[in-house]
Amino acid sequence: MGPDFSLEHALQARGYLRIAGVDEVGRGPLAGPVTAAAVVLDPARIPEGLNDSKKLTKRARERLHEEIMQMAEVSIAHASVEEIDNLNILRASHLAMMRALEGLKVPSDYALIDGNMLPRDLTLPAEAVIKGDGRSQSIAAASIVAKICRDCVMLSLAQQHPGYGWETNMGYGSKSHMEALRNLGVTPHHRRSFKPVHNML
């Protein structure tokens, strides 16, 4: 069973009409930003096949991304490598989520946020939903948008810094990425607070 709209329906019954699903991508990589998306779905136009982005094929993700961008309200935001190193990855992830929510053209009145913890500076009503991208269609949509956007960022960075394999590993610590770190050194896009990179320095 994939995610459904039951959490959203329950909130609508309580009077919340603009419900944003929020998710982030990129906590684990050694390089690149962390990216978050906030998505407000139209209950009458929900793309078919929404699911956790990790459970979808590349082709399905791209199709759904296109449909989400056409049918829903979407905001995407990042926290930079510098912010990750200064704040820590959890706080930076929450910062990206806050920015995504703040970037919606019309503010949401409730947020469903993937994970077990809410950003501490969040002011609007919200709840943390553990494994939310497998439970809520709004969060699943956000996971797809964030994944596609961050992959595009890493493809662009891969062209600027060839040799690290970011076009395929997306900044994660794959064997080829680790070898490149040893042979080519640390780039400005590497997270210096992450142990494998810190140890190289």
Side-chain angles (χ1 to χ4, degrees):
M1 287 290 290
D4 59 29
F5 210 66
S6 58
L7 289 173
E8 291 87 340
H9 281 315
L11 288 165
Q12 287 171 341
R14 289 165 52 192
Y16 296 107
L17 300 179
R18 291 184 51 77
I19 301 153
V22 186
D23 201 3
E24 52 73 29
V25 174
R27 281 198 194 193
L30 305 179
V34 60
T35 301
V39 175
V40 179
L41 291 174
D42 177 351
R45 297 178 74 216
I46 296 176
E48 279 190 37
L50 286 175
N51 207 339
D52 173 358
S53 65
K54 297 184 290 296
K55 295 180 179 175
L56 297 168
T57 64
K58 184 172 184 284
R59 187 174 179 180
R61 261 199 312 272
E62 288 172 350
R63 172 186 65 81
L64 283 162
H65 175 259
E66 204 168 301
E67 292 179 13
I68 293 162
M69 298 304 287
Q70 290 172 358
M71 297 181 188
E73 294 177 54
V74 176
S75 171
I76 302 161
H78 309 277
S80 68
V81 167
E82 291 78 13
E83 287 168 327
I84 292 167
D85 286 340
N86 289 335
L87 296 172
N88 76 40
I89 187 59
L90 176 63
R91 293 272 291 129
S93 297
H94 284 174
L95 179 61
M97 288 177 168
M98 295 272 290
R99 285 173 175 163
L101 280 167
E102 289 163 2
L104 288 166
K105 287 181 182 172
V106 180
S108 61
D109 50 17
Y110 201 97
L112 292 170
I113 295 181
D114 185 59
N116 61 0
M117 193 184 300
L118 294 176
R120 63 187 185 194
D121 298 325
L122 194 62
T123 54
L124 84 160
E127 65 186 276
V129 184
I130 294 170
K131 296 185 177 176
D133 42 14
R135 294 174 59 194
S136 156
Q137 288 178 324
S138 299
I139 296 176
S143 80
I144 291 164
V145 171
K147 165 74 174 159
I148 291 280
C149 179
R150 188 180 186 281
D151 284 359
C152 287
V153 170
M154 295 312 297
L155 289 171
S156 174
L157 292 177
Q159 292 179 335
Q160 298 171 39
H161 299 274
Y164 295 89
W166 292 342
E167 65 278 8
T168 53
N169 63 46
M170 301 304 163
Y172 283 87
S174 66
K175 186 179 177 184
S176 60
H177 188 178
M178 296 306 296
E179 285 177 5
L181 260 176
R182 284 189 288 272
N183 296 330
L184 303 174
V186 177
T187 73
H189 303 288
H190 279 101
R191 302 173 181 180
R192 284 159 166 71
S193 58
F194 278 41
K195 199 169 185 180
V197 180
H198 182 76
N199 290 347
M200 296 278 174
L201 297 167

